Amino acid sequence: MLFKFIRYGDNQLCAIKIRGTAFLWHQVRCMVAVLFMIGQGLESDEVHSIFPYALLDIERTPRKPQYIMAPEVPLVLRSCEFESLKFTCSLDAAQALHMHLQNECQMYQLQAAIYHEALLSCLPLENDQGLLENRTVKKKASHVPVFSRPTEPSYEERRAKFGLRKS
């Protein structure tokens, strides 16, 4: 895996390049979720050193720990490469794509500016004592390490549940 940190305005973005010959359903979203936990310092040094191999090793971890996957919105599949196959794009299609992406970028920048102005015009809640007295504080859930969480059924347990034999 390759990590690259990018500054975009006031936000820091992380680009992750993951190469593989195949991926399981939602595997990348699960990997990114664990990487976020590691990045926030919520996971131990053990997870740092063995991730993602321990979670993919069915001998060591026969059941997937339960945790919330990373949202799909910021994740982008940028390319797929195949041996002996090269995709090409006509000049017209490339120009149309470029124009479409430019228009989308402008639309999102406009929407971001509108939301930013809305945020600036909001009244600060800290200064309004009437609101503070009625406001309840949400208790933050404590973090449970990945390998200490409840697990999902193993592959064999799922097959047994549906009465399927090994192929």
Side-chain angles (χ1 to χ4, degrees):
M1 277 187 267
L2 174 71
F3 298 94
K4 182 169 134 183
F5 293 94
I6 305 162
R7 176 107 11 228
Y8 187 77
D10 292 338
N11 298 309
Q12 184 174 356
L13 306 176
C14 177
I16 304 168
K17 187 173 189 173
I18 301 173
R19 286 185 177 242
T21 55
F23 292 100
L24 300 172
W25 184 255
H26 294 310
Q27 179 180 350
V28 172
R29 287 179 63 191
C30 291
M31 291 168 63
V32 171
V34 175
L35 287 171
F36 283 158
M37 288 185 267
I38 292 170
Q40 293 169 340
L42 299 173
E43 287 298 327
S44 69
D45 288 339
E46 176 194 10
V47 175
H48 289 233
S49 60
I50 60 177
F51 177 78
Y53 308 107
L55 290 172
L56 296 174
D57 181 357
I58 59 172
E59 298 296 323
R60 182 175 183 160
T61 313
R63 295 174 185 86
K64 177 188 166 289
Q66 295 177 353
Y67 53 87
I68 298 172
M69 292 186 292
E72 72 277 1
V73 172
L75 300 177
V76 177
L77 173 62
R78 200 174 88 195
S79 68
C80 290
E81 298 170 6
F82 300 92
E83 289 181 26
S84 308
L85 185 61
K86 182 177 170 139
F87 293 98
T88 59
C89 183
S90 71
L91 182 59
D92 288 343
Q95 288 174 336
L97 177 61
H98 183 80
M99 182 66 77
H100 170 74
L101 292 174
Q102 214 170 22
N103 290 338
E104 288 292 310
C105 188
Q106 288 174 345
M107 182 60 70
Y108 284 114
Q109 287 173 339
L110 178 59
Q111 288 178 342
I114 291 168
Y115 284 112
H116 182 74
E117 286 300 316
L119 280 172
L120 293 176
S121 68
C122 284
L123 295 174
L125 293 176
E126 299 84 37
N127 296 340
D128 190 343
Q129 292 302 319
L131 287 175
L132 279 178
E133 292 168 7
N134 296 327
R135 197 170 86 186
T136 58
V137 177
K138 275 190 176 180
K139 184 178 178 183
K140 189 174 180 180
S142 60
H143 179 75
V144 177
V146 171
F147 290 113
S148 300
R149 293 175 182 230
T151 58
E152 297 180 6
S154 69
Y155 175 72
E156 288 78 17
E157 290 168 338
R158 289 181 195 173
R159 292 185 62 82
K161 179 180 176 182
F162 293 109
L164 300 173
R165 293 185 211 138
K166 282 192 174 184
S167 308

